[in-house]
Amino acid sequence: MSTSALVAEKVWNDIESTHSVSDEQLSILHFLFGKNLERAMTIVDQRGVKRMLGHPSGRSIFQVVGESKRKEEYLCFPQHYCACYSFFYDIVNRGEQLCCKHQLAARLASSLGTCIDVKMSDHDLALMLSHL
C-alpha cells in the first residue's frame, strides 16, 4: 500500500470513529484526492449514496449517483471497485488516482453515517451483483 493510501486510511478511520470530519481531515483528504473529493462531497450533500444491505447475511454494496444529467447510479465497494468509467480509466488503466468520486462519496457517507440504508434479501443483492 502506498504512503498516500496509508495516510488516507488513517484519516478515514479517525472519521469513522467520531462520525464527524474536521477541517484538518478535510484538508488532508483534499490534498490526496483533489477535485474528486469536492465532487464526492456534493454527492453526499445531495444524499446520493445508498448502502444496499443483504438480509440475513449483512453483506453490502454501495449505489452512488453520478453527476451527469442522466443521474446514473454506480455500484461500488469503496475500498476496492467502482463500476464507473473513471475507475477503469483513471485508476486501473492509468494509475493517476487512488479512487474515483463514487468510492469517495460512499466512504465519506459511510464514515459519517449519512448514507441511505436499503434492506433487501441476500438473493436480490446477489442478483444486483450479478449485473456487474
Side-chain angles (χ1 to χ4, degrees), residues 5-66:
L6 289 170
V7 169
E9 192 61 31
K10 168 74 170 98
V11 173
W12 287 124
N13 289 338
D14 291 347
I15 293 169
E16 287 171 3
S17 71
T18 62
H19 292 292
S20 66
V21 60
S22 69
D23 288 341
E24 180 182 2
Q25 291 166 329
L26 274 178
S27 179
I28 293 167
L29 292 174
H30 190 269
F31 178 79
L32 294 171
F33 301 111
K35 289 202 181 276
N36 275 351
L37 179 68
E38 295 170 23
R39 292 177 178 129
M41 289 171 60
T42 299
I43 292 168
V44 172
D45 288 345
Q46 294 174 350
R47 308 266 303 148
V49 180
K50 297 177 191 171
R51 179 173 36 210
M52 315 308 277
L53 294 164
H55 179 75
S57 70
R59 292 185 176 106
S60 65
I61 189 168
F62 289 84
Q63 189 174 50
V64 182
V65 174

Side-chain angles (χ1 to χ4, degrees), residues 11-131:
V11 173
W12 287 124
N13 289 338
D14 291 347
I15 293 169
E16 287 171 3
S17 71
T18 62
H19 292 292
S20 66
V21 60
S22 69
D23 288 341
E24 180 182 2
Q25 291 166 329
L26 274 178
S27 179
I28 293 167
L29 292 174
H30 190 269
F31 178 79
L32 294 171
F33 301 111
K35 289 202 181 276
N36 275 351
L37 179 68
E38 295 170 23
R39 292 177 178 129
M41 289 171 60
T42 299
I43 292 168
V44 172
D45 288 345
Q46 294 174 350
R47 308 266 303 148
V49 180
K50 297 177 191 171
R51 179 173 36 210
M52 315 308 277
L53 294 164
H55 179 75
S57 70
R59 292 185 176 106
S60 65
I61 189 168
F62 289 84
Q63 189 174 50
V64 182
V65 174
E67 290 183 302
S68 72
K69 291 179 184 176
R70 294 178 298 208
K71 295 294 183 192
E72 294 176 358
E73 294 181 322
Y74 300 99
L75 294 177
C76 74
F77 295 100
Q79 295 170 300
H80 304 289
Y81 170 81
C82 184
C84 74
Y85 176 78
S86 178
F87 179 81
F88 289 101
Y89 187 72
D90 295 328
I91 290 107
V92 175
N93 192 26
R94 294 175 32 188
E96 292 183 353
Q97 302 286 330
L98 293 173
C99 59
C100 71
K101 65 186 171 194
H102 309 107
Q103 290 174 287
L104 285 171
R107 189 81 191 259
L108 185 61
S110 177
S111 297
L112 295 174
T114 60
C115 51
I116 299 166
D117 287 337
V118 177
K119 295 178 181 171
M120 59 180 44
S121 70
D122 284 332
H123 179 265
D124 289 343
L125 183 63
L127 286 175
M128 181 181 280
L129 292 171
S130 72
H131 292 97

